[in-house]
Amino acid sequence: MTARVASVLFIGEGTSDRPLVDVVADLLLDHGIEVRITAPDLTQLSSRVGHATDQKIAAAMRLFEGTPDLLVVHRDADAAGPEVRRREVVDATSVHASDVSLVPIVPVRMTESWLLFDEMAIRQVAGNPRSRDRLDLRRPRDAEGEANPKDLLRAALVAASATTGRRRETVIKRFPEHRRQLLERLDRSGPVTELPAFQRLVDDVESAVARLRVTTVQ
């Protein structure tokens, strides 16, 4: 059976979040839906786009030719909490893209909390797969309660690299790139499935698939 092809407009918090839409793409493919992804770099626009979710959605929708089948919006929960951030995304979508199916991605507290379980991936990305230094990672059941998973992940990468001096500083500066690589390696059937925020994403994708199928029938 030929898979349906859906157009996806992705809006992240930064360019290193781009691999998140690939996670959604894989989840959609499980339901027989392939995707064409548009992920505009809003920082390249001549007029400045603010950090507010509604501003990003409005700008991205203006850039998109036509109407996407799915709008995928990533927003970390941070200190506000997942329900507040989720409502923020839903409300902004209802104003600027009311006729588009939405898939929110709202990690608790930050996307880094999804990257704290694959010890080997962290060692490989840090460039020292044979290192044995303690990384002080978290169990899945504790990850969403971590106050600052970004600092924890950064410290784990530095520890895994087992570097000192200038090489250590280089590892620290490359954190955004290392984070992106870890997102690309995220095992969507691994420990991350124990996180309520990821389970919510899976549910949202299933709901979006149901809406797409209704649209196709109509």
Side-chain angles (χ1 to χ4, degrees):
M1 181 176 66
T2 303
R4 165 164 183 181
V5 179
S7 58
V8 174
L9 176 59
F10 174 73
I11 301 170
E13 292 199 348
T15 54
S16 63
D17 297 317
R18 173 60 176 73
L20 280 171
V21 79
D22 295 326
V23 175
V24 175
D26 286 341
L27 292 172
L28 286 165
L29 191 58
D30 288 343
H31 295 279
I33 296 177
E34 297 179 355
V35 298
R36 295 192 309 271
I37 301 167
T38 300
D41 183 358
L42 301 179
T43 63
Q44 300 301 310
L45 293 177
S46 56
S47 57
R48 188 175 182 277
V49 178
H51 295 292
T53 302
D54 62 337
Q55 295 179 26
K56 289 183 176 181
I57 292 177
M61 287 295 292
R62 287 195 298 269
L63 288 174
F64 194 87
E65 295 183 5
T67 302
D69 293 309
L70 290 176
L71 177 63
V72 178
V73 181
H74 162 234
R75 185 74 165 95
D76 283 344
D78 297 322
E83 292 308 318
V84 170
R85 291 305 190 203
R86 185 181 180 85
R87 174 49 54 188
E88 174 186 312
V89 172
V90 170
D91 288 348
T93 301
S94 68
V95 172
H96 300 290
S98 59
D99 55 346
V100 181
S101 291
L102 170 67
V103 176
I105 305 179
V106 186
V108 179
R109 297 182 176 231
M110 305 172 186
T111 306
E112 286 79 8
S113 65
W114 292 10
L115 308 176
L116 296 174
F117 318 122
D118 194 336
E119 182 175 333
M120 180 50 65
I122 290 173
R123 295 186 190 279
Q124 289 173 340
V125 165
N128 195 4
R130 296 184 179 180
S131 70
R132 292 293 180 268
D133 296 67
R134 180 183 174 88
L135 303 189
D136 194 26
L137 299 177
R138 296 293 185 268
R139 294 172 295 183
R141 67 185 184 188
D142 300 325
E144 291 191 343
E146 181 64 35
N148 197 329
K150 181 178 291 186
D151 286 350
L152 182 61
L153 182 62
R154 183 184 290 110
L157 285 162
V158 171
S161 71
T163 53
T164 58
R166 290 185 178 178
R167 290 181 63 190
R168 180 186 178 92
E169 290 301 316
T170 298
V171 172
I172 294 173
K173 290 178 181 178
R174 291 193 63 196
F175 177 74
E177 171 62 17
H178 289 157
R179 175 185 179 276
R180 184 188 62 78
Q181 291 177 24
L182 288 171
L183 270 177
E184 290 174 346
R185 298 175 185 221
L186 180 67
D187 181 3
R188 60 183 179 83
S189 61
V192 73
T193 60
E194 299 180 39
L195 302 185
F198 190 84
Q199 294 167 4
R200 187 73 175 271
L201 171 60
V202 172
D203 291 343
D204 286 334
V205 168
E206 291 179 352
S207 297
V209 167
R211 292 192 295 272
L212 283 174
R213 285 176 176 160
V214 169
T215 302
T216 301
V217 170
Q218 293 175 346

